[in-house]
Amino acid sequence: TMALTPISDHLPPALLEACVVLGASHDRLKELYQVAMQNNTSGDISVPKDIDLKALPHLCFPDGLQVTNELKEERFHFLVFTDVFGNRTHGVVMQYYRLIMYPILCCVLYSAYGFCVISKYPYYSALKDCMSCLLVQLRTSRLSDMEERVKEFTARLALVPVPPPGPLHVMFSLPPLNIVLPAREDEDCPPVDLDLQISLLCFRPQQLLQVLSSLLQEQRVVLFSADWAQLTLVAESLLLFLKPMSWQHPYVPVLASGMLDFLMAPTAFLMGCHSSHYKDVAAETDDLILIHIDAGTVSRSQCDTVGLPEIPIAAADCFTQRCMSLQLHFQLFQCQRSSCSDINEQRAQKRAWQRSLNMDIQKIMLELMVNIFRDVSSHLNFEHRVFNSEEFLKTREPPEMLFYKMVLETHVFHFFLKDRLNRKMDSFARMELHTRSEMQKLKCMVVNPRRPTMQEIQARRTGCHPEAMLNKRLGMSLPNLGDHPQVTRQTLTKILIYDPSKTQTHTHSLILTRSLKHHVCPLKCMRVFKLPELPASLSLLSIQRFYNELILQLGKAIFCVPPENSALLARYTTYLQLVLVFVYLALRDFQNLYKTDTSLFPTQLVAWLVDSLLLEERQLAERRPELKRLFLKPDDHVKKFELPRCCLAREAFVRCVQESGIVKDGPTIQRLFDALTDHVDEKQVDPTLFKDVYTFWKEAEAQDVDLPPEVVDRLDNNECVYKLSSCVKTSHGVGKIAMTQKRLFLLQEGRPGLWEITRFRDITEVKISSSPFLLLRVPSLCIRTACRAEGFEANLKTETGLWDLVIREMWAGRRMADQHKDPQYMAQALTNMLLMDAVAGCLHSQRSIGSASKLAYFDRIKHEVPMMVPEATSQTLKHKINPSQDLAEPQTVHVLLYTPGQLSCSDTEEGGNPKLWVALSGGRVVVFDAASWSMLQDCIQVGNAQLNCMLGVGQDQVWIGSQDSVIYIVDPRSMSCNKQLTEHRHEVTGFAVYKGQDRPLQPYSCSAEGIILLWDASSLTVNRQLLLTCDRLSSIQIHNGMLWCCTYRSRVCVCYVLNTSWVRLSVCVCSQLGQLWTGCPDSGELCVWHTSDAKRPVKRIPLPGISGVNCMIRVKDQIWVGCQGDRVLGGPYGGQLRSLVLVVDPGSHAVQKELQAHSDTIHTLCSAEHRYVLSGSGRRDGKIAIWKVD
């Protein structure tokens, strides 16, 4: 008989979907009983095959449904069902034997019954515990009462709501056990409710790497074991180890004996069957990867070896070392501790240990994936969603090439690419970001064309590639790494249990001792909410009473716990609204979820909710702007670069060059187009010519210059050889001229080492002359340098014109970079030089040098207008950085924010260094490491509107105000934005924070219509609201405990009538002098007011040559003013406006310095601990200047 209890489809968060009971019918059991008595048989009597059992019964009894004459112990195994859409459902099966009793017969027989609970969530351990609790009742009940017991059990489990994604776990009581449902870390990850060490206990690290390699290459994989339970547990752990990769193929971890024909499927799959079929499967199938769990072996059917490309050796060695450091046995942890007298306390201790071990194993597996696929992002074009696989493969070592070729063609890698192109900030992206080497950070500072550096050449010769070595920062985050002495530390795992039946929160602390090195584990707090007692009845009244009580107790718990925990409970409350089918209420409460973590909310569930809304409810939901964002779908298409097949006009040429990865900068590509179409009537680039340029560029990138070791030792570690001449005669002998990004040197024939010709910054003159050769005069290149009296001359023959062109461009680029303290100029000159080389090499005509000269950008502007930087600017300017270096066009720098580092963090922890946050156009935020000025994150997308203001709230929040009325909150550690505040209804224009000694941080925010909100920083709730009557509220500041508000009709709480024009007003307060300084973009003057009397300005300071003031800050005893000039310059600025940073003395009201570093309007200023001032400009310049403060 089969009893099926389905759960209604409108309960998506419920633990239980169905409970199925399977067994032979009463009449069939009686027939078998009589046969057994007549034959006096002993042993097992299998149920005949003519019994009609379909797919589920076959999986519940994979060995067949049996009747035995001996009582067998209960057995568990686990199932996974996959529908045609790829959605997985999970099952836990218990086989239970009961005595068959017939009064007229005397033979004793036992029949097997199968109990299968089915859930949408892989709660294997929890459901097994639930079935064990059911078993206690079944052992003491009669056979006639079994169905009633199962119904009661099903009714109770059907009411258990699963926890939402995040750190909040759920506990419920099912006597005699307390059962915990762990939450998912985020929406895309399943809950981990199994012992992940099972795979590490079954396989050595080398065999486990073979298994993972076969899955990454999408082979046909079969698991074998004599234990049906191990098949699913090992398979599930293997798929978890692949994260962030997602298995997209057939997945059947348990195949019954009658389903072996599934193994003949031609596509990739992951399946499992009993080890008794191992020899038959190995002999009768081809090209299967056979994994014997019990023996710990990996083989290939009809083959002696696996024969698959192995995981790259550096990543494999690191993984092996990590695995050796793990402590996989709970008994070793428990042997020095006292035994627990309470079973639930013992189970809680085991859970805490297992959770800690699972986290370590997941970190190790994630590190393996990061080490394998770390460089993928370097070959992505985000704007056009292109992955340049050919160029990625060229950067791989030869032994790794075949592995990557196979993986790059798989479905799992394709879905991985989608997430990378969508800039998904998942655990992979966070680990990749926080484990970058110093070399990778340096590469992020300036984008140079790819060439092997001297450090990489040395490492290649010694057989130790710097990027393949064990990463120091990641190594310190995992146990037992390196050769340093181990330190035994005690990690306190605190379990907070919110029990609704009691008035206070209970805390259980477990001491877990682990061996760690150089890493202080933070306090691990496991938050658990305990559900009320589950009702036994499934009546509507009982269900409503249970959920009403649950929500009531949640409300009480919210007020009894700290704010960060109450936010978790509030998220759970919204989740429970769904269970009660209060659909609109759940969506309405979604703004509360914005304050916790929106990435944890299941978007598929949201889509289902929207479809189930009534017409009136849908109209109400559509009026709420925060709900519309839920339905935006990301662009998921992925392209591979292909060479063009037709002629390219200018716009198509720009797109194709960007997709190819040659260069991203739009103006540079425009000049390349002009060079290639020079002297051509139709301004189009032939596809053959494009292919020639592309091939020339890529071959030059792949070219490896064989330098002698003594030459490599004399060059800097980051130097690369970009151009090498043929063997020529020079004034210092015969040899080859080599060019790096820093210098020219001569490799003399027959002599070791190098002879340095000059560094680019030391050049004083470059010219073409002629020198006698036999009866002719041949062109030669003359270079004069400031370091030597005599010049250098080389008879480069036909190469003379090109070498003259490229050396002049590099010379001009170096001068620009040194004068403006901007290394990006040198990087751009280097790109121009390489493009000139490619154009000259592909245009086989006498005019090729003239065409290539169109790319000599810096040499041309040097002759148009001499670029001399004023002395004050040169002395004050420290550095310039480009936040748009990964973009095709420069972007406006709207807001800058400096956040100090955390002295309590070591170098191995996240968030230790100070950061510079840069808000660009279109809701894009870029983050720099303010210690090295290397880019940490090239894009945090916070909406699509312009960003107006930023504020650091404590050490764990950065608030960003947008024109779309939303306050976005970014986590500085994870570099992700998953929290939003939507209380404002107009654009957010300003922030302020009160940092009193007697109070916690009090952030203020204001919006354009005059609303000012005072926030609780921990709970993200509004404590107070103010309304100012004004046309527009532009900014707020706090000085001396008072809130100063700047409005366009400018009535202020504490300030006074300041300005009546409809422009943005800049305000700065000097509280020591009692002065208020103001300026506006349409006036070239500063106004100084008394804070006690603001009827009229005390002083007007004219600013000659200035058309307006855009921003102003006070640093130490100085006022720094960002201005817009009214004079026009030529040269590199292309006739754009000159903008100045003025430094004004507030005492004498005199301008102390005029600093010139931007070619567009200065939009923002910020201070870095009063040591530096940073200025950001408009999109025509798009740079950030870093100034030293006297």
Side-chain angles (χ1 to χ4, degrees):
T1 59
M2 181 183 296
L4 179 64
T5 308
I7 306 304
S8 180
D9 289 338
H10 65 266
L11 298 178
L15 172 64
L16 190 66
E17 286 293 299
C19 181
V20 183
V21 182
L22 303 104
S25 65
H26 176 79
D27 294 337
R28 186 56 180 164
L29 288 174
K30 185 175 181 180
E31 178 184 343
L32 293 173
Y33 192 92
Q34 293 173 346
V35 172
M37 186 195 69
Q38 293 171 1
N39 296 334
N40 194 23
T41 58
S42 61
D44 294 348
I45 302 178
S46 297
V47 175
K49 296 182 179 179
D50 57 352
I51 291 184
D52 186 17
L53 298 177
K54 297 185 183 294
L56 181 59
H58 274 293
L59 294 175
C60 290
F61 298 101
D63 286 328
L65 195 158
Q66 296 180 340
V67 176
T68 69
N69 55 11
E70 291 182 359
L71 180 63
K72 289 189 175 183
E73 188 179 0
E74 298 81 8
R75 292 183 297 176
F76 291 84
H77 67 276
F78 310 96
L79 304 174
V80 178
F81 314 99
T82 308
D83 62 18
V84 293
F85 301 105
N87 301 314
R88 292 174 187 164
T89 307
H90 309 268
V92 178
V93 179
M94 178 181 68
Q95 291 186 19
Y96 167 61
Y97 286 81
R98 290 201 64 120
L99 176 65
I100 304 174
M101 299 182 62
Y102 293 97
I104 60 174
L105 302 176
C106 58
C107 183
V108 177
L109 291 180
Y110 296 90
S111 173
Y113 287 87
F115 298 83
C116 178
V117 289
I118 300 173
S119 175
K120 289 183 178 180
Y121 309 95
Y123 286 115
Y124 298 114
S125 298
L127 290 175
K128 179 183 176 181
D129 291 342
C130 293
M131 298 288 280
S132 300
C133 295
L134 174 63
L135 181 61
V136 174
Q137 300 181 25
L138 294 179
R139 285 172 175 169
T140 59
S141 64
R142 296 178 298 177
L143 182 62
S144 58
D145 297 331
M146 185 173 67
E147 183 175 353
E148 190 64 29
R149 295 286 181 269
V150 172
K151 285 184 177 180
E152 293 176 358
F153 169 79
T154 304
R156 302 179 78 184
L157 285 192
L159 298 179
V160 176
V162 300
L168 180 66
H169 304 251
V170 168
M171 176 189 291
F172 63 96
S173 179
L174 203 63
L177 300 179
N178 289 332
I179 299 171
V180 174
L181 301 180
R184 293 171 285 170
E185 289 187 6
D186 55 56
E187 181 190 350
D188 297 324
C189 294
V192 180
D193 191 32
L194 71 160
D195 299 345
L196 291 182
Q197 72 269 28
I198 184 171
S199 294
L200 296 172
L201 293 171
C202 293
F203 302 101
R204 296 191 302 274
Q206 292 77 12
Q207 279 66 48
L208 187 55
L209 286 170
Q210 287 182 316
V211 177
L212 296 175
S213 176
S214 63
L215 292 175
L216 287 173
Q217 296 173 60
E218 292 187 344
Q219 299 295 306
R220 298 190 298 160
V221 181
V222 187
L223 305 175
F224 294 90
S225 177
D227 186 347
W228 293 104
Q230 287 190 21
L231 289 173
T232 300
L233 295 179
V234 170
E236 285 286 288
S237 65
L238 292 175
L239 295 190
L240 284 171
F241 294 164
L242 290 181
K243 294 296 181 181
M245 305 291 184
S246 178
W247 184 255
Q248 304 292 326
H249 296 280
Y251 172 50
V252 188
V254 173
L255 286 177
S257 300
M259 299 179 175
L260 295 183
D261 56 336
F262 283 23
L263 300 179
M264 305 303 294
T267 184
F269 57 72
L270 175 58
M271 299 186 186
C273 59
H274 198 273
S275 57
S276 60
H277 305 295
Y278 182 84
K279 292 184 179 179
D280 295 335
V281 172
E284 299 179 9
T285 58
D286 296 327
D287 206 29
L288 293 185
I289 304 298
L290 309 178
I291 302 172
H292 202 303
I293 297 174
D294 302 337
T297 60
V298 182
S299 60
R300 199 184 192 102
S301 57
Q302 298 187 355
C303 187
D304 296 333
T305 60
V306 177
L308 283 177
E310 296 181 350
I311 285 176
I313 185 65
D317 289 345
C318 178
F319 171 79
T320 302
Q321 183 179 355
R322 296 287 198 266
C323 291
M324 299 299 292
S325 68
L326 290 172
Q327 175 56 261
L328 303 177
H329 301 280
F330 178 68
Q331 291 77 7
L332 296 178
F333 162 77
Q334 188 66 20
C335 61
Q336 296 182 359
R337 291 164 180 79
S338 61
S339 299
C340 296
S341 58
D342 181 81
I343 184 174
N344 285 315
E345 182 181 349
Q346 182 181 16
R347 282 164 49 83
Q349 192 175 57
K350 173 64 165 59
R351 269 196 309 268
W353 175 86
Q354 186 64 56
R355 177 171 172 262
S356 177
L357 178 60
N358 283 351
M359 291 175 62
D360 283 343
I361 294 175
Q362 286 177 289
K363 284 183 180 180
I364 291 175
M365 297 302 171
L366 180 61
E367 180 204 16
L368 175 65
M369 294 297 133
V370 170
N371 287 338
I372 295 174
F373 301 107
R374 177 187 296 276
D375 294 333
V376 167
S377 59
S378 301
H379 297 81
L380 296 177
N381 183 291
F382 294 95
E383 182 179 1
H384 302 290
R385 299 188 63 83
V386 174
F387 172 60
N388 200 322
S389 56
E390 293 184 4
E391 298 309 313
F392 173 77
L393 290 174
K394 288 179 182 178
T395 62
R396 303 300 93 190
E397 297 294 329
E400 307 169 356
M401 193 73 70
L402 185 56
F403 170 81
Y404 282 105
K405 281 184 177 179
M406 296 191 68
V407 172
L408 262 56
E409 298 299 325
T410 61
H411 286 82
V412 294
F413 183 76
H414 180 77
F415 281 86
F416 171 77
L417 277 183
K418 286 184 179 181
D419 290 337
R420 299 315 109 200
L421 288 170
N422 290 335
R423 301 181 185 274
K424 184 176 182 180
M425 185 50 68
D426 54 8
S427 56
F428 177 93
R430 289 192 291 269
M431 179 174 283
E432 191 278 329
L433 175 66
H434 293 122
T435 58
R436 287 177 180 172
S437 65
E438 294 303 321
M439 182 182 298
Q440 290 164 336
K441 290 181 180 179
L442 290 175
K443 289 180 179 179
C444 292
M445 294 179 66
V446 179
V447 180
N448 282 325
R450 299 185 185 98
R451 296 292 189 279
T453 64
M454 296 302 108
Q455 182 179 358
E456 291 170 339
I457 292 175
Q458 286 179 325
R460 190 180 305 158
R461 289 174 176 173
T462 58
C464 182
H465 196 280
E467 299 303 329
M469 292 188 298
L470 193 64
N471 186 279
K472 179 179 178 183
R473 176 175 292 190
L474 181 61
M476 291 181 176
S477 67
L478 294 169
N480 300 344
L481 303 179
D483 301 326
H484 299 278
Q486 296 181 356
V487 180
T488 301
R489 306 190 63 87
Q490 288 186 331
T491 302
L492 179 63
T493 299
K494 182 181 291 185
I495 303 178
L496 301 179
I497 301 180
Y498 310 123
D499 191 343
S501 63
K502 300 177 175 60
T503 58
Q504 60 183 3
T505 298
H506 299 272
T507 302
H508 298 270
S509 297
L510 305 175
I511 302 297
L512 301 181
T513 303
R514 299 170 50 209
S515 295
L516 302 177
K517 181 185 83 68
H518 296 307
H519 180 63
V520 181
C521 284
L523 182 69
K524 297 181 180 180
C525 190
M526 179 178 173
R527 301 175 179 89
V528 180
F529 179 79
K530 188 173 182 180
L531 302 179
E533 291 298 325
L534 300 173
S537 172
L538 197 58
S539 66
L540 179 60
L541 183 60
S542 299
I543 294 174
Q544 289 180 339
R545 186 182 299 116
F546 169 75
Y547 282 117
N548 288 334
E549 177 67 18
L550 175 54
I551 292 178
L552 178 63
Q553 297 297 341
L554 272 170
K556 292 180 180 179
I558 288 174
F559 292 101
C560 297
V561 297
E564 62 272 12
N565 298 339
S566 68
L568 297 173
L569 296 170
R571 182 191 304 147
Y572 195 30
T573 305
T574 302
Y575 227 65
L576 292 173
Q577 297 281 6
L578 311 180
V579 180
L580 293 176
V581 204
F582 299 152
V583 179
Y584 175 70
L585 293 178
L587 288 177
R588 188 190 64 182
D589 287 345
F590 195 83
Q591 61 182 355
N592 294 327
L593 299 180
Y594 269 121
K595 299 175 183 179
T596 56
D597 198 335
T598 55
S599 68
L600 302 177
F601 198 81
T603 54
Q604 293 181 350
L605 180 58
V606 173
W608 174 84
L609 288 172
V610 172
D611 292 338
S612 64
L613 284 172
L614 299 175
L615 178 60
E616 295 142 354
E617 292 178 329
R618 188 181 186 92
Q619 291 174 349
L620 286 173
E622 288 177 347
R623 293 174 192 160
R624 301 186 69 91
E626 64 270 17
L627 298 182
K628 293 183 179 180
R629 303 184 184 94
L630 304 177
F631 315 126
L632 298 177
K633 296 183 179 180
D635 185 2
D636 283 339
H637 82 278
V638 179
K639 293 170 56 180
K640 288 188 177 180
F641 173 70
E642 295 181 355
L643 290 170
R645 300 178 182 177
C646 58
C647 293
L648 299 174
R650 185 179 294 270
E651 183 177 349
F653 177 82
V654 171
R655 183 183 67 252
C656 200
V657 171
Q658 290 174 341
E659 291 181 0
S660 69
I662 295 177
V663 64
K664 295 179 182 179
D665 182 58
T668 302
I669 301 175
Q670 299 280 0
R671 291 191 288 271
L672 177 61
F673 181 83
D674 294 336
L676 294 177
T677 57
D678 193 26
H679 309 294
V680 176
D681 295 335
E682 294 185 4
K683 295 298 182 182
Q684 290 184 332
V685 176
D686 185 80
T688 304
L689 178 58
F690 186 94
K691 180 180 179 181
D692 292 342
V693 174
Y694 176 80
T695 304
F696 190 98
W697 179 276
K698 296 305 178 181
E699 287 179 350
E701 277 190 345
Q703 181 181 2
D704 193 356
V705 181
D706 188 14
L707 297 175
E710 54 270 17
V711 174
V712 174
D713 292 339
R714 287 193 56 185
L715 299 177
D716 296 341
N717 284 339
N718 64 340
E719 275 191 272
C720 309
V721 174
Y722 288 95
K723 187 171 176 60
L724 188 67
S725 75
S726 57
C727 192
V728 297
K729 180 182 178 182
T730 73
S731 57
H732 287 268
V734 177
K736 296 181 180 181
I737 300 175
M739 175 188 292
T740 73
Q741 68 267 43
K742 295 182 179 180
R743 74 185 93 195
L744 295 168
F745 61 88
L746 179 67
L747 297 172
Q748 296 171 301
E749 288 289 323
R751 295 184 183 180
L754 60 85
W755 186 81
E756 183 174 296
I757 300 171
T758 182
R759 291 179 177 262
F760 289 113
R761 61 165 48 96
D762 297 329
I763 295 177
T764 59
E765 183 183 15
V766 178
K767 67 178 181 178
I768 297 177
S769 62
S770 60
S771 60
F773 179 75
L774 298 178
L775 299 177
L776 303 175
R777 297 190 68 83
V778 296
S780 63
L781 184 66
C782 296
I783 303 174
R784 293 194 174 275
T785 175
C787 300
R788 296 188 186 93
E790 72 278 6
F792 174 82
E793 186 171 353
N795 297 331
L796 288 161
K797 303 176 184 177
T798 58
E799 298 180 70
T800 303
L802 180 59
W803 274 91
D804 173 69
L805 199 62
V806 298
I807 291 175
R808 287 178 179 275
E809 180 68 6
M810 295 292 286
W811 176 25
R814 171 50 63 191
R815 288 186 58 191
M816 290 282 295
D818 290 345
Q819 291 173 2
H820 293 268
K821 300 182 181 179
D822 186 354
Q824 198 67 38
Y825 284 129
M826 193 61 199
Q828 181 62 56
L830 182 59
T831 300
N832 294 342
M833 181 274 291
L834 294 172
L835 290 174
M836 286 189 282
D837 197 19
V839 170
C842 297
L843 295 178
H844 306 290
S845 66
Q846 297 180 349
R847 299 178 176 178
S848 61
I849 301 300
S851 299
S853 65
K854 293 186 176 295
L855 290 158
Y857 174 66
F858 291 110
D859 186 50
R860 186 177 69 252
I861 64 173
K862 179 188 70 174
H863 286 92
E864 291 178 358
V865 176
M867 288 307 303
M868 295 301 297
V869 176
E871 182 179 357
T873 299
S874 179
Q875 293 177 351
T876 310
L877 181 63
K878 176 179 174 59
H879 192 61
K880 290 183 76 173
I881 55 177
N882 182 15
S884 305
Q885 64 185 23
D886 289 331
L887 303 177
E889 301 286 346
Q891 300 292 313
T892 298
V893 180
H894 290 284
V895 191
L896 293 173
L897 173 68
Y898 173 87
T899 56
Q902 302 177 23
L903 298 179
S904 59
C905 293
S906 65
D907 293 338
T908 62
E909 294 182 350
E910 305 171 9
N913 288 340
K915 296 181 178 65
L916 176 65
W917 302 76
V918 185
L920 303 179
S921 302
R924 187 187 188 103
V925 177
V926 176
V927 186
F928 287 86
D929 184 333
S932 63
W933 302 116
S934 60
M935 187 178 290
L936 291 177
Q937 181 57 266
D938 60 353
C939 180
I940 303 175
Q941 196 66 38
V942 288
N944 297 305
Q946 178 180 316
L947 306 177
N948 293 331
C949 48
M950 291 195 289
L951 175 69
V953 180
Q955 296 181 342
D956 55 359
Q957 293 181 9
V958 172
W959 290 24
I960 305 175
S962 173
Q963 284 188 353
D964 62 8
S965 77
V966 177
I967 298 175
Y968 298 92
I969 301 179
V970 177
D971 183 351
R973 294 180 176 85
S974 66
M975 300 287 181
S976 58
C977 175
N978 296 323
K979 300 181 182 181
Q980 301 175 15
L981 305 178
T982 57
E983 275 72 5
H984 284 289
R985 290 294 175 261
H986 291 78
E987 68 171 290
V988 181
T989 56
F991 289 128
V993 62
Y994 177 72
K995 302 178 181 179
Q997 296 181 353
D998 55 338
R999 300 182 188 177
L1001 288 177
Q1002 293 183 331
Y1004 291 80
S1005 65
C1006 68
S1007 51
E1009 83 280 22
I1011 294 292
I1012 301 175
L1013 300 181
L1014 170 61
W1015 296 88
D1016 185 310
S1018 57
S1019 64
L1020 302 181
T1021 56
V1022 177
N1023 284 346
R1024 188 179 178 187
Q1025 176 175 319
L1026 303 174
L1027 174 61
L1028 298 183
T1029 304
C1030 61
D1031 293 326
R1032 180 178 174 84
L1033 178 58
S1034 64
S1035 63
I1036 54 177
Q1037 295 185 25
I1038 292 180
H1039 292 280
N1040 292 337
M1042 296 184 293
L1043 183 66
W1044 299 71
C1045 308
C1046 177
T1047 69
Y1048 287 161
R1049 196 170 281 177
S1050 292
R1051 296 176 187 163
V1052 195
C1053 292
V1054 180
C1055 293
Y1056 310 91
V1057 178
L1058 303 177
N1059 190 6
T1060 57
S1061 59
W1062 283 86
V1063 293
R1064 182 176 178 178
L1065 190 67
S1066 300
V1067 180
C1068 184
V1069 177
C1070 290
S1071 55
Q1072 292 88 346
L1073 301 177
Q1075 294 178 352
L1076 175 69
W1077 290 60
T1078 63
C1080 58
D1082 64 350
S1083 175
E1085 67 176 9
L1086 296 175
C1087 294
V1088 183
W1089 314 70
H1090 273 309
T1091 55
S1092 58
D1093 181 11
K1095 294 181 179 179
R1096 60 181 181 273
V1098 175
K1099 177 80 173 179
R1100 294 182 182 270
I1101 306 173
L1103 305 175
I1106 299 301
S1107 61
V1109 175
N1110 297 311
C1111 48
M1112 184 164 40
I1113 62 171
R1114 175 175 171 265
V1115 182
K1116 292 185 177 178
D1117 295 328
Q1118 299 173 337
I1119 304 294
W1120 288 63
V1121 186
C1123 306
Q1124 176 179 299
D1126 55 4
R1127 285 177 284 180
V1128 178
L1129 299 177
Y1133 302 143
Q1136 299 164 9
L1137 291 177
R1138 181 190 69 166
S1139 293
L1140 298 177
V1141 175
L1142 303 181
V1143 182
V1144 184
D1145 179 18
S1148 63
H1149 300 164
V1151 176
Q1152 295 179 333
K1153 293 182 181 179
E1154 289 190 7
L1155 308 177
Q1156 176 184 336
H1158 296 289
S1159 56
D1160 200 352
T1161 302
I1162 298 175
H1163 285 266
T1164 178
L1165 294 170
C1166 83
S1167 170
E1169 300 178 357
H1170 293 283
R1171 296 175 56 200
Y1172 303 104
V1173 170
L1174 299 96
S1175 58
S1177 63
R1179 64 183 303 272
R1180 293 179 181 177
D1181 177 71
K1183 300 286 184 70
I1184 298 171
I1186 305 170
W1187 309 92
K1188 294 178 287 187
V1189 178
D1190 295 335

